[in-house]
Amino acid sequence: MRKKVIIIGASGHGKVVADIIQKSGDILLGFLDDNKSLPDQLSGIPILGTVNDYKKYSQAKFIIAIGNAEIRERISKEVKTDSWYTAIHPNAVISKLDTRIDQGTVVMANAVINPGAVIGKHCIINTGAIVEHDNTIEDYVHVSVGAKLAGNVHVGRKTWVGIGATVKNNVSVCEDCMIGAGAVVINNIVEKGTYIGIPARIV
Ligand SMILES: CC(C)(COP(=O)(O)OP(=O)(O)OC[C@H]1O[C@@H](n2cnc3c(N)ncnc32)[C@H](O)[C@@H]1OP(=O)(O)O)[C@@H](O)C(=O)NCCC(=O)NCCS
């Protein structure tokens, strides 16, 4: 049966999530967003109200389309529902061998998720990202556009892997890190912080 879906977060990222929902054949009802200066629609899709208005839509499933992991986590706790939508673009390549993708996560076009990869709640696996075999991606992680995680990589909660970044096989990145655009991570990261460059170093 076609699901009715509401996106929390009316932004550019929200539009990409909207496109996935429409391509998946589910019914997109609209956006919720606390920014009251927004118009009443985005790309022709209605903005239905603020986040708290989720209570009016008991039949709907929800997905949070907000890049900031702290805000994504906060909203996932404030919105009291078990009805989270997992958005998978029809052109994402996802192995059926021992993969798991938890609720509220979005997987965008041309992303690849290979066997044994386990992806937590409310993650973003962005356009063209590669999550290789046996990765463990914890809740609220964002793997940005074109980032590459080799085999057996572990990424801790709320870490953001920037656009085009690369993480070598068997490397672990702890929680709450920012891996800068184009960085190459070749050693385990055990200290929270921002890492840039090749090889990636803390700033
Ligand atoms: C790493 C990052 C978070 C730093 O942002 P910031 O704190 O605003 O840092 P600034 O832009 O002020 O740059 C500080 C210094 O770091 C350098 N720097 C910033 N990002 C860098 C990167 N990714 N690689 C190499 N150097 C970088 C800047 O050139 C600057 O150097 P300088 O002091 O010699 O002039 C940001 O640049 C970044 O890479 N973000 C990734 C965004 C992304 O992936 N978006 C995709 C969404 S799908």
Side-chain angles (χ1 to χ4, degrees):
M1 200 172 79
R2 295 171 77 203
K3 296 169 186 147
K4 293 179 180 159
V5 190
I6 290 178
I7 299 171
I8 299 175
S11 61
H13 176 55
K15 287 195 286 186
V16 184
V17 174
D19 186 54
I20 295 173
I21 294 165
Q22 291 181 334
K23 284 198 167 71
S24 304
D26 286 323
I27 301 163
L28 177 58
L29 298 181
F31 295 100
L32 299 177
D33 199 298
D34 284 343
N35 180 355
K36 295 203 171 94
S37 64
L38 288 171
D40 58 4
Q41 54 81 29
L42 182 64
S43 294
I45 300 159
I47 298 177
L48 304 165
T50 59
V51 175
N52 208 33
D53 288 324
Y54 80 89
K55 293 168 187 156
K56 297 179 186 167
Y57 299 94
S58 56
Q59 304 300 310
K61 289 186 162 283
F62 299 90
I63 183 160
I64 307 168
I66 295 173
N68 182 300
E70 291 290 340
I71 300 175
R72 219 158 56 248
E73 180 180 35
R74 175 174 58 74
I75 291 178
S76 74
K77 289 178 177 159
E78 285 172 5
V79 173
K80 306 284 180 214
T81 180
D82 290 327
S83 203
W84 294 110
Y85 183 82
T86 305
I88 312 278
H89 194 286
N91 292 120
V93 178
I94 301 175
S95 168
K96 289 194 168 69
L97 301 178
D98 301 327
T99 52
R100 199 180 75 225
I101 299 173
D102 219 329
Q103 62 181 11
T105 283
V106 54
V107 182
M108 294 188 171
N110 293 336
V112 177
I113 297 175
N114 265 343
V118 174
I119 297 173
K121 293 177 191 155
H122 304 286
C123 291
I124 303 166
I125 309 299
N126 219 313
T127 310
I130 296 179
V131 177
E132 259 301 338
H133 65 88
D134 302 305
N135 271 224
T136 306
I137 310 296
E138 293 187 8
D139 299 345
Y140 309 104
V141 163
H142 179 179
V143 184
S144 294
V145 172
K148 300 185 189 81
L149 311 179
N152 285 301
V153 162
H154 175 268
V155 183
R157 270 175 118 254
K158 290 194 276 184
T159 281
W160 178 8
V161 181
I163 186 164
T166 301
V167 183
K168 197 184 84 169
N169 55 305
N170 303 318
V171 162
S172 177
V173 179
C174 72
E175 63 183 10
D176 292 316
C177 286
M178 168 74 228
I179 308 299
V184 178
V185 181
I186 59 170
N187 296 310
N188 290 343
I189 292 179
V190 296
E191 183 185 348
K192 296 174 187 181
T194 298
Y195 292 78
I196 59 171
I198 304 173
R201 298 195 197 285
I202 196 163
V203 290

